[in-house]
Amino acid sequence: QSTWGHLIAHSRQRMSSPFHFVHSRVIDPVLRLKKRQIVEQVLFFGLIVANALVLWKTMCLFTGSESPIVVVLSGSMRPGIDRGDLLFLTMRSTPFRAGDIPVYSLPGRDVPIVHRVLEVHETAAGVADILTKGDNNTVNDLGLYNRDQWWLQRQHVIGRAQAFAKWIGMVTVLMNEHAEAKYALGAALLVYVLVNREQ
């Protein structure tokens, strides 16, 4: 009987250990914070966010792109570029050429598209009409463009890929496919900052 009692007590201890960890490492430190400390923690977290925004705006200024870093969300550019790859963009004034890899955004579409330039046609007015296609797709992007749109123009392009890093953006892919992951990650970062600053 004592053996069974020991096993039951051990099982209860193992089951309670995650809750004990959450209380001791997360809830209790937050509850111990005084009002002034809470204000300091919130300001510290806001400073982190502000620094990230300044860094982003600085990158936009130097690259000329409104979005200098993007994460590839689909496999339409395989095998060269895959889901989760991080692309570094610039927006130069040089003409587009077949083989360039622009990232373009269309009105009414939330997610930019990363595809390769298939054809470029200069109009009489000097405007470049661009046709794109994914390396892993069998047809061009006409079916992706908006109704009555046959070409892309420069105003649709937010940048051209200059370099990429493999799979670094997989966290973004997971958050895009599972909305609850965004809130979980944000909450985890906030708790981490609070707990570690308190200590």
Short mmCIF file of all heavy atoms in Angstrom, two decimals, residues 121-175:
data_model
loop_
_atom_site.label_atom_id
_atom_site.label_comp_id
_atom_site.label_asym_id
_atom_site.label_seq_id
_atom_site.Cartn_x
_atom_site.Cartn_y
_atom_site.Cartn_z
N HIS A 121 7.94 44.52 -71.82
CA HIS A 121 7.63 45.26 -73.05
C HIS A 121 7.59 46.75 -72.73
O HIS A 121 6.88 47.17 -71.82
CB HIS A 121 6.30 44.82 -73.64
CG HIS A 121 6.29 43.38 -74.06
ND1 HIS A 121 6.79 42.94 -75.26
CD2 HIS A 121 5.83 42.27 -73.42
CE1 HIS A 121 6.65 41.63 -75.35
NE2 HIS A 121 6.06 41.19 -74.25
N GLU A 122 8.37 47.53 -73.45
CA GLU A 122 8.38 48.98 -73.28
C GLU A 122 7.30 49.56 -74.17
O GLU A 122 7.27 49.34 -75.37
CB GLU A 122 9.69 49.50 -73.78
CG GLU A 122 10.77 50.04 -72.93
CD GLU A 122 10.71 50.47 -71.53
OE1 GLU A 122 10.18 51.55 -71.29
OE2 GLU A 122 11.25 49.80 -70.69
N THR A 123 6.42 50.39 -73.57
CA THR A 123 5.39 51.07 -74.35
C THR A 123 5.96 52.32 -74.99
O THR A 123 7.08 52.74 -74.68
CB THR A 123 4.20 51.44 -73.45
OG1 THR A 123 4.63 52.43 -72.50
CG2 THR A 123 3.67 50.22 -72.71
N ALA A 124 5.18 52.93 -75.89
CA ALA A 124 5.63 54.15 -76.55
C ALA A 124 5.84 55.28 -75.55
O ALA A 124 6.65 56.18 -75.78
CB ALA A 124 4.61 54.57 -77.61
N ALA A 125 5.12 55.23 -74.44
CA ALA A 125 5.25 56.27 -73.42
C ALA A 125 6.41 56.00 -72.47
O ALA A 125 6.63 56.75 -71.51
CB ALA A 125 3.95 56.39 -72.63
N GLY A 126 7.16 54.91 -72.72
CA GLY A 126 8.29 54.59 -71.87
C GLY A 126 7.94 53.81 -70.62
O GLY A 126 8.76 53.67 -69.71
N VAL A 127 6.70 53.29 -70.57
CA VAL A 127 6.27 52.51 -69.42
C VAL A 127 6.57 51.03 -69.66
O VAL A 127 6.31 50.50 -70.75
CB VAL A 127 4.75 52.69 -69.16
CG1 VAL A 127 4.29 51.81 -67.99
CG2 VAL A 127 4.44 54.15 -68.88
N ALA A 128 7.14 50.37 -68.67
CA ALA A 128 7.50 48.96 -68.80
C ALA A 128 6.32 48.09 -68.38
O ALA A 128 5.85 48.18 -67.25
CB ALA A 128 8.72 48.65 -67.96
N ASP A 129 5.84 47.26 -69.32
CA ASP A 129 4.82 46.26 -69.01
C ASP A 129 5.54 44.95 -68.68
O ASP A 129 6.35 44.46 -69.47
CB ASP A 129 3.87 46.06 -70.19
CG ASP A 129 2.93 47.25 -70.38
OD1 ASP A 129 2.65 47.94 -69.37
OD2 ASP A 129 2.49 47.48 -71.51
N ILE A 130 5.22 44.37 -67.53
CA ILE A 130 5.95 43.21 -67.03
C ILE A 130 5.00 42.02 -66.88
O ILE A 130 3.91 42.16 -66.34
CB ILE A 130 6.58 43.52 -65.65
CG1 ILE A 130 7.46 44.77 -65.74
CG2 ILE A 130 7.38 42.33 -65.13
CD1 ILE A 130 7.82 45.34 -64.37
N LEU A 131 5.44 40.88 -67.37
CA LEU A 131 4.72 39.62 -67.18
C LEU A 131 5.58 38.70 -66.32
O LEU A 131 6.77 38.53 -66.59
CB LEU A 131 4.40 38.96 -68.52
CG LEU A 131 3.64 37.62 -68.44
CD1 LEU A 131 2.25 37.81 -67.86
CD2 LEU A 131 3.56 36.97 -69.83
N THR A 132 4.99 38.12 -65.30
CA THR A 132 5.75 37.28 -64.35
C THR A 132 5.24 35.85 -64.34
O THR A 132 4.16 35.55 -64.84
CB THR A 132 5.66 37.87 -62.93
OG1 THR A 132 4.27 38.06 -62.58
CG2 THR A 132 6.38 39.19 -62.82
N LYS A 133 6.04 34.99 -63.72
CA LYS A 133 5.68 33.57 -63.62
C LYS A 133 6.49 32.93 -62.50
O LYS A 133 7.67 33.26 -62.31
CB LYS A 133 5.97 32.85 -64.94
CG LYS A 133 5.76 31.34 -64.92
CD LYS A 133 6.15 30.72 -66.25
CE LYS A 133 6.09 29.20 -66.21
NZ LYS A 133 7.06 28.62 -65.24
N GLY A 134 5.88 32.03 -61.77
CA GLY A 134 6.61 31.28 -60.75
C GLY A 134 7.43 30.18 -61.40
O GLY A 134 6.96 29.50 -62.32
N ASP A 135 8.65 29.97 -60.94
CA ASP A 135 9.53 28.96 -61.53
C ASP A 135 8.90 27.57 -61.45
O ASP A 135 9.16 26.73 -62.32
CB ASP A 135 10.87 28.94 -60.80
CG ASP A 135 11.70 30.18 -61.08
OD1 ASP A 135 11.29 30.99 -61.94
OD2 ASP A 135 12.77 30.34 -60.45
N ASN A 136 8.09 27.32 -60.44
CA ASN A 136 7.49 26.01 -60.23
C ASN A 136 6.08 25.92 -60.80
O ASN A 136 5.42 24.89 -60.65
CB ASN A 136 7.47 25.67 -58.73
CG ASN A 136 7.25 24.20 -58.47
OD1 ASN A 136 7.74 23.34 -59.20
ND2 ASN A 136 6.51 23.88 -57.41
N ASN A 137 5.61 26.98 -61.46
CA ASN A 137 4.27 26.99 -62.05
C ASN A 137 4.35 26.66 -63.53
O ASN A 137 5.35 26.95 -64.20
CB ASN A 137 3.62 28.36 -61.86
CG ASN A 137 3.31 28.66 -60.40
OD1 ASN A 137 3.36 27.77 -59.55
ND2 ASN A 137 2.99 29.90 -60.11
N THR A 138 3.29 26.09 -64.03
CA THR A 138 3.26 25.70 -65.45
C THR A 138 2.79 26.84 -66.35
O THR A 138 3.03 26.80 -67.55
CB THR A 138 2.34 24.49 -65.65
OG1 THR A 138 1.04 24.79 -65.14
CG2 THR A 138 2.88 23.27 -64.92
N VAL A 139 2.11 27.84 -65.79
CA VAL A 139 1.60 28.96 -66.59
C VAL A 139 2.05 30.27 -65.96
O VAL A 139 2.49 30.31 -64.81
CB VAL A 139 0.05 28.93 -66.68
CG1 VAL A 139 -0.40 27.68 -67.42
CG2 VAL A 139 -0.58 28.98 -65.30
N ASN A 140 1.91 31.35 -66.74
CA ASN A 140 2.30 32.66 -66.25
C ASN A 140 1.26 33.20 -65.25
O ASN A 140 0.28 32.51 -64.92
CB ASN A 140 2.52 33.64 -67.40
CG ASN A 140 1.28 33.82 -68.26
OD1 ASN A 140 0.17 33.90 -67.76
ND2 ASN A 140 1.46 33.89 -69.58
N ASP A 141 1.47 34.44 -64.80
CA ASP A 141 0.66 34.99 -63.70
C ASP A 141 -0.59 35.73 -64.15
O ASP A 141 -1.24 36.39 -63.31
CB ASP A 141 1.52 35.95 -62.87
CG ASP A 141 2.56 35.22 -62.04
OD1 ASP A 141 2.56 33.98 -62.05
OD2 ASP A 141 3.37 35.90 -61.39
N LEU A 142 -0.97 35.63 -65.41
CA LEU A 142 -2.16 36.35 -65.85
C LEU A 142 -3.38 35.99 -65.01
O LEU A 142 -4.23 36.84 -64.73
CB LEU A 142 -2.45 36.06 -67.33
CG LEU A 142 -1.62 36.85 -68.35
CD1 LEU A 142 -1.96 36.41 -69.77
CD2 LEU A 142 -1.88 38.34 -68.19
N GLY A 143 -3.46 34.76 -64.59
CA GLY A 143 -4.60 34.34 -63.77
C GLY A 143 -4.56 34.89 -62.36
O GLY A 143 -5.58 34.86 -61.66
N LEU A 144 -3.40 35.41 -61.94
CA LEU A 144 -3.28 35.99 -60.61
C LEU A 144 -3.56 37.49 -60.61
O LEU A 144 -3.92 38.05 -59.57
CB LEU A 144 -1.87 35.76 -60.04
CG LEU A 144 -1.43 34.31 -59.84
CD1 LEU A 144 0.01 34.27 -59.32
CD2 LEU A 144 -2.35 33.60 -58.85
N TYR A 145 -3.37 38.13 -61.77
CA TYR A 145 -3.60 39.57 -61.84
C TYR A 145 -5.08 39.88 -61.68
O TYR A 145 -5.95 39.01 -61.86
CB TYR A 145 -3.09 40.15 -63.16
CG TYR A 145 -1.62 39.92 -63.43
CD1 TYR A 145 -1.10 40.04 -64.72
CD2 TYR A 145 -0.74 39.59 -62.40
CE1 TYR A 145 0.24 39.84 -64.98
CE2 TYR A 145 0.61 39.39 -62.66
CZ TYR A 145 1.09 39.50 -63.95
OH TYR A 145 2.42 39.29 -64.20
N ASN A 146 -5.36 41.14 -61.36
CA ASN A 146 -6.76 41.55 -61.21
C ASN A 146 -7.48 41.54 -62.55
O ASN A 146 -6.86 41.48 -63.62
CB ASN A 146 -6.82 42.95 -60.59
CG ASN A 146 -6.40 42.94 -59.13
OD1 ASN A 146 -6.53 41.93 -58.43
ND2 ASN A 146 -5.88 44.07 -58.65
N ARG A 147 -8.78 41.59 -62.49
CA ARG A 147 -9.61 41.53 -63.70
C ARG A 147 -9.23 42.66 -64.67
O ARG A 147 -9.03 43.81 -64.25
CB ARG A 147 -11.09 41.64 -63.32
CG ARG A 147 -12.04 41.43 -64.48
CD ARG A 147 -13.47 41.46 -63.99
NE ARG A 147 -14.41 41.27 -65.09
CZ ARG A 147 -15.72 41.26 -64.95
NH1 ARG A 147 -16.25 41.43 -63.74
NH2 ARG A 147 -16.51 41.08 -65.98
N ASP A 148 -9.13 42.32 -65.93
CA ASP A 148 -8.78 43.27 -67.00
C ASP A 148 -7.36 43.82 -66.84
O ASP A 148 -7.03 44.86 -67.44
CB ASP A 148 -9.78 44.43 -67.07
CG ASP A 148 -11.18 43.97 -67.41
OD1 ASP A 148 -11.31 42.99 -68.17
OD2 ASP A 148 -12.15 44.58 -66.91
N GLN A 149 -6.54 43.16 -66.08
CA GLN A 149 -5.13 43.55 -65.96
C GLN A 149 -4.28 42.53 -66.68
O GLN A 149 -4.33 41.34 -66.38
CB GLN A 149 -4.71 43.65 -64.49
CG GLN A 149 -3.24 44.05 -64.30
CD GLN A 149 -2.84 44.15 -62.84
OE1 GLN A 149 -3.66 44.02 -61.95
NE2 GLN A 149 -1.56 44.38 -62.61
N TRP A 150 -3.49 43.00 -67.65
CA TRP A 150 -2.68 42.09 -68.47
C TRP A 150 -1.20 42.13 -68.12
O TRP A 150 -0.45 41.23 -68.49
CB TRP A 150 -2.88 42.43 -69.95
CG TRP A 150 -4.32 42.36 -70.37
CD1 TRP A 150 -5.20 43.39 -70.49
CD2 TRP A 150 -5.05 41.17 -70.69
NE1 TRP A 150 -6.43 42.94 -70.87
CE2 TRP A 150 -6.38 41.57 -71.02
CE3 TRP A 150 -4.72 39.82 -70.75
CZ2 TRP A 150 -7.36 40.67 -71.37
CZ3 TRP A 150 -5.70 38.91 -71.11
CH2 TRP A 150 -7.01 39.34 -71.42
N TRP A 151 -0.79 43.20 -67.46
CA TRP A 151 0.63 43.38 -67.15
C TRP A 151 0.79 43.96 -65.74
O TRP A 151 -0.14 44.51 -65.18
CB TRP A 151 1.30 44.33 -68.14
CG TRP A 151 1.12 43.97 -69.58
CD1 TRP A 151 0.15 44.43 -70.43
CD2 TRP A 151 1.91 43.05 -70.33
NE1 TRP A 151 0.30 43.87 -71.66
CE2 TRP A 151 1.37 43.01 -71.64
CE3 TRP A 151 3.03 42.28 -70.05
CZ2 TRP A 151 1.91 42.23 -72.65
CZ3 TRP A 151 3.57 41.49 -71.05
CH2 TRP A 151 3.02 41.48 -72.34
N LEU A 152 2.01 43.86 -65.25
CA LEU A 152 2.40 44.60 -64.06
C LEU A 152 3.15 45.85 -64.49
O LEU A 152 3.83 45.85 -65.51
CB LEU A 152 3.33 43.76 -63.17
CG LEU A 152 2.78 42.50 -62.51
CD1 LEU A 152 3.89 41.80 -61.74
CD2 LEU A 152 1.61 42.80 -61.60
N GLN A 153 3.03 46.90 -63.71
CA GLN A 153 3.84 48.10 -63.89
C GLN A 153 4.68 48.32 -62.62
O GLN A 153 4.49 47.66 -61.61
CB GLN A 153 2.97 49.32 -64.18
CG GLN A 153 2.57 49.47 -65.64
CD GLN A 153 1.37 48.60 -65.97
OE1 GLN A 153 0.44 48.48 -65.19
NE2 GLN A 153 1.40 47.99 -67.15
N ARG A 154 5.59 49.28 -62.72
CA ARG A 154 6.52 49.53 -61.61
C ARG A 154 5.78 49.83 -60.30
O ARG A 154 6.25 49.46 -59.23
CB ARG A 154 7.46 50.68 -61.97
CG ARG A 154 8.48 51.00 -60.89
CD ARG A 154 9.48 52.06 -61.37
NE ARG A 154 10.38 51.51 -62.37
CZ ARG A 154 11.53 50.92 -62.09
NH1 ARG A 154 11.91 50.75 -60.84
NH2 ARG A 154 12.30 50.48 -63.05
N GLN A 155 4.62 50.49 -60.37
CA GLN A 155 3.92 50.84 -59.13
C GLN A 155 3.40 49.62 -58.38
O GLN A 155 3.07 49.71 -57.20
CB GLN A 155 2.75 51.80 -59.41
CG GLN A 155 1.61 51.21 -60.23
CD GLN A 155 1.76 51.53 -61.71
OE1 GLN A 155 2.88 51.77 -62.18
NE2 GLN A 155 0.65 51.54 -62.43
N HIS A 156 3.32 48.48 -59.06
CA HIS A 156 2.88 47.26 -58.38
C HIS A 156 4.03 46.57 -57.64
O HIS A 156 3.79 45.71 -56.79
CB HIS A 156 2.30 46.26 -59.40
CG HIS A 156 1.09 46.79 -60.11
ND1 HIS A 156 1.03 46.91 -61.48
CD2 HIS A 156 -0.10 47.23 -59.64
CE1 HIS A 156 -0.15 47.38 -61.84
NE2 HIS A 156 -0.85 47.60 -60.73
N VAL A 157 5.26 46.92 -57.99
CA VAL A 157 6.43 46.22 -57.45
C VAL A 157 6.92 46.92 -56.19
O VAL A 157 7.10 48.14 -56.17
CB VAL A 157 7.57 46.16 -58.49
CG1 VAL A 157 8.79 45.46 -57.92
CG2 VAL A 157 7.08 45.44 -59.75
N ILE A 158 7.15 46.15 -55.13
CA ILE A 158 7.64 46.72 -53.88
C ILE A 158 9.14 46.47 -53.69
O ILE A 158 9.75 47.02 -52.78
CB ILE A 158 6.87 46.18 -52.66
CG1 ILE A 158 7.04 44.66 -52.52
CG2 ILE A 158 5.40 46.53 -52.76
CD1 ILE A 158 6.37 44.09 -51.30
N GLY A 159 9.73 45.68 -54.57
CA GLY A 159 11.16 45.45 -54.47
C GLY A 159 11.62 44.30 -55.35
O GLY A 159 10.81 43.50 -55.82
N ARG A 160 12.92 44.24 -55.56
CA ARG A 160 13.53 43.13 -56.30
C ARG A 160 14.45 42.35 -55.39
O ARG A 160 15.25 42.93 -54.64
CB ARG A 160 14.32 43.66 -57.51
CG ARG A 160 13.44 44.03 -58.67
CD ARG A 160 14.27 44.42 -59.88
NE ARG A 160 14.58 45.83 -59.88
CZ ARG A 160 15.00 46.50 -60.96
NH1 ARG A 160 15.17 45.86 -62.09
NH2 ARG A 160 15.26 47.77 -60.89
N ALA A 161 14.35 41.03 -55.45
CA ALA A 161 15.16 40.17 -54.57
C ALA A 161 16.63 40.28 -54.96
O ALA A 161 16.99 40.08 -56.13
CB ALA A 161 14.68 38.74 -54.66
N GLN A 162 17.47 40.57 -53.97
CA GLN A 162 18.91 40.66 -54.18
C GLN A 162 19.66 39.52 -53.48
O GLN A 162 20.74 39.14 -53.90
CB GLN A 162 19.43 42.00 -53.65
CG GLN A 162 18.80 43.20 -54.31
CD GLN A 162 19.05 43.26 -55.81
OE1 GLN A 162 20.14 42.90 -56.28
NE2 GLN A 162 18.07 43.70 -56.57
N ALA A 163 19.08 39.01 -52.42
CA ALA A 163 19.70 37.90 -51.67
C ALA A 163 18.61 37.21 -50.87
O ALA A 163 17.52 37.75 -50.69
CB ALA A 163 20.80 38.42 -50.74
N PHE A 164 18.91 36.00 -50.41
CA PHE A 164 17.93 35.29 -49.59
C PHE A 164 18.64 34.38 -48.60
O PHE A 164 19.81 34.01 -48.78
CB PHE A 164 16.95 34.49 -50.45
CG PHE A 164 17.55 33.30 -51.16
CD1 PHE A 164 17.46 32.03 -50.62
CD2 PHE A 164 18.21 33.46 -52.37
CE1 PHE A 164 18.01 30.94 -51.26
CE2 PHE A 164 18.77 32.38 -53.03
CZ PHE A 164 18.67 31.11 -52.48
N ALA A 165 17.94 34.08 -47.51
CA ALA A 165 18.44 33.18 -46.48
C ALA A 165 17.44 32.04 -46.32
O ALA A 165 16.25 32.28 -46.16
CB ALA A 165 18.63 33.93 -45.15
N LYS A 166 17.94 30.82 -46.37
CA LYS A 166 17.07 29.65 -46.38
C LYS A 166 16.38 29.43 -45.03
O LYS A 166 17.02 29.43 -43.99
CB LYS A 166 17.88 28.39 -46.74
CG LYS A 166 18.53 28.43 -48.11
CD LYS A 166 17.51 28.42 -49.22
CE LYS A 166 16.81 27.08 -49.37
NZ LYS A 166 15.87 27.05 -50.49
N TRP A 167 15.07 29.26 -45.09
CA TRP A 167 14.22 28.74 -43.99
C TRP A 167 14.19 29.60 -42.74
O TRP A 167 13.56 29.22 -41.75
CB TRP A 167 14.64 27.33 -43.61
CG TRP A 167 14.60 26.38 -44.76
CD1 TRP A 167 13.62 26.24 -45.69
CD2 TRP A 167 15.60 25.43 -45.12
NE1 TRP A 167 13.93 25.28 -46.61
CE2 TRP A 167 15.16 24.75 -46.29
CE3 TRP A 167 16.83 25.07 -44.57
CZ2 TRP A 167 15.89 23.76 -46.91
CZ3 TRP A 167 17.58 24.08 -45.20
CH2 TRP A 167 17.10 23.44 -46.35
N ILE A 168 14.81 30.77 -42.74
CA ILE A 168 14.82 31.60 -41.54
C ILE A 168 13.43 32.12 -41.21
O ILE A 168 13.12 32.39 -40.05
CB ILE A 168 15.83 32.75 -41.70
CG1 ILE A 168 17.25 32.19 -41.74
CG2 ILE A 168 15.70 33.78 -40.58
CD1 ILE A 168 18.32 33.23 -41.87
N GLY A 169 12.57 32.23 -42.21
CA GLY A 169 11.23 32.78 -41.98
C GLY A 169 10.15 31.75 -41.71
O GLY A 169 8.96 32.07 -41.80
N MET A 170 10.51 30.52 -41.34
CA MET A 170 9.50 29.48 -41.13
C MET A 170 8.55 29.83 -39.98
O MET A 170 7.38 29.43 -40.00
CB MET A 170 10.16 28.13 -40.84
CG MET A 170 10.67 27.42 -42.09
SD MET A 170 9.41 27.19 -43.38
CE MET A 170 8.22 26.13 -42.54
N VAL A 171 9.03 30.59 -38.98
CA VAL A 171 8.14 31.01 -37.90
C VAL A 171 7.01 31.88 -38.45
O VAL A 171 5.84 31.74 -38.06
CB VAL A 171 8.93 31.78 -36.82
CG1 VAL A 171 7.98 32.38 -35.77
CG2 VAL A 171 9.93 30.86 -36.14
N THR A 172 7.34 32.77 -39.39
CA THR A 172 6.32 33.61 -40.02
C THR A 172 5.32 32.77 -40.80
O THR A 172 4.11 33.04 -40.79
CB THR A 172 6.98 34.63 -40.96
OG1 THR A 172 7.90 35.42 -40.20
CG2 THR A 172 5.94 35.53 -41.60
N VAL A 173 5.80 31.74 -41.49
CA VAL A 173 4.89 30.85 -42.24
C VAL A 173 3.91 30.17 -41.28
O VAL A 173 2.71 30.11 -41.55
CB VAL A 173 5.71 29.79 -43.01
CG1 VAL A 173 4.78 28.77 -43.66
CG2 VAL A 173 6.58 30.45 -44.07
N LEU A 174 4.42 29.67 -40.16
CA LEU A 174 3.55 29.01 -39.18
C LEU A 174 2.54 29.98 -38.60
O LEU A 174 1.35 29.63 -38.43
CB LEU A 174 4.41 28.41 -38.06
CG LEU A 174 5.32 27.25 -38.48
CD1 LEU A 174 6.20 26.82 -37.30
CD2 LEU A 174 4.50 26.06 -38.98
N MET A 175 2.96 31.21 -38.32
CA MET A 175 2.03 32.20 -37.77
C MET A 175 0.99 32.60 -38.81
O MET A 175 -0.16 32.91 -38.47
CB MET A 175 2.79 33.42 -37.28
CG MET A 175 3.59 33.17 -36.01
SD MET A 175 4.14 34.70 -35.21
CE MET A 175 5.19 35.38 -36.51
#
